Amino acid sequence: MGFRIMGTGRAVPANAVSNDDIAKFVDTSDEWISQRTGIKNRYISTGETLNDLAKEASEKAMEMAHVTADSIDLIIVGTLSPDRIYPSAACELQANIGAVNAIAFDINAACSGFLFALQIANGYFATGGAKRALLVGAEILSKMTDWTDRGTCVLFGDGAGACIVDYDKDAVVTFSSGSDGTKGDALYCNNRPINNPFLKNESSLDHTHMDGQEVFKFAVKTVPRAIEDAMEKAGVTAQDVDVFLLHQANLRIIEAVAKRLKRPMEKFPLIMSEFGNMSAACVPILLDTQIRNGTVQRGMQTVMAGFGAGLTWCAAVFVY
Ligand code: COA
């Protein structure tokens, strides 16, 4: 019992920003950013909203899947940067694409958001609550980035990835996921402060704070473990896996995971060089690029994994 991926799509803002562009306003260099992260470029919104990108990505996914919006009965958007605090980005997307028959809601699991959405959708499938889901990872991280902090502003980009997923009673799908809220301060952004007639608060809106080394250590320890656990549940070994689609936070994290799993880097497609870290949007955009360029093909044993703020993590093993 599980799912089958029917179609994927992606959208990014028009404004491409190179490392050299960033070096014009913070003390950094293309050499530092490329060597420490693998990132060379990212797309930063100059007006595109999260829902503009989510709609474009979703329409491409529906087109690939040859399905209409009214056939979708579940929409989940993984995001930490919705256009509105409420209603959800998923409800806005539902209205924008005309998915009149869908249940729609957002989840915030940061960079694991798309994988958590996939696991939730799988639960809906298992309990008969839905047969076709539109899952989206979408972020406008640039609006919460501190553009004076060279330790974080070089890492993040904006974008949206979407996926049409159908219930498939014959599919074998396994997950391994978890959270560690005690490490929440490793990567966070505060919401608007309490401010009312009884408590005056003049502080301005917050931005992203990160303990990069803490997050790095967490990722290289937890991601291989989660992948191994999900593979064990599926009865497959790393040698059986054709492609590993990992959250694109940092090249060195992916190299460490590949080493731990004893698999060559060719099995780990990379897109951070072009897109940077787009949080929940990374994995679905990676999936879309690899399906469209022919790297991911039908019948392939596939692993997807996300990790990030929370801290949160999730790995999935399935056949594409
Ligand atoms: N350009 C130039 N120098 C920079 C810089 C930048 N953009 N950012 C930091 N530095 C400097 C630091 O100030 C420090 O200088 P110092 O030694 O004079 O104090 C030096 O580079 C080393 O900084 P450090 O933070 O130790 O670097 P690092 O090797 O840990 O790399 C990250 C920093 C952020 C790239 C790395 O920690 C990382 O990728 N962590 C994971 C983050 C992540 O994946 N987050 C998202 C999770 S979803």
Side-chain angles (χ1 to χ4, degrees), residues 172-174 230-231 234-245 267 295-304 316-320:
V172 177
V173 178
T174 60
M231 288 191 306
V236 301
T237 67
Q239 279 69 28
D240 302 323
V241 174
D242 297 300
V243 65
F244 295 85
L245 303 173
K267 299 278 181 190
T295 302
V296 173
Q297 295 177 8
R298 285 289 174 208
M300 278 189 164
Q301 187 73 57
T302 306
V303 165
M304 296 200 298
V317 176
F318 62 98
V319 174
Y320 171 65

Side-chain angles (χ1 to χ4, degrees), residues 271-293:
I271 58 165
M272 83 272 287
S273 154
E274 179 182 354
F275 296 95
N277 179 350
M278 300 168 291
S279 186
C282 269
V283 172
I285 289 184
L286 175 63
L287 177 65
D288 182 61
T289 58
Q290 302 312 301
I291 289 172
R292 288 180 191 269
N293 73 15

Side-chain angles (χ1 to χ4, degrees), residues 27-29 32-33 36-37 111 150-151 154-156 187 210-213 215-216 247 249-250 252-253 277 307-309:
D27 182 14
T28 189
S29 64
W32 194 97
I33 304 168
R36 298 284 177 123
T37 69
C111 306
R150 67 179 182 172
V154 301
L155 303 176
F156 301 113
L187 183 52
M210 185 178 71
D211 179 342
Q213 291 185 3
V215 177
F216 195 97
H247 175 49
N250 184 309
R252 291 183 295 143
I253 291 174
N277 179 350
F307 59 91

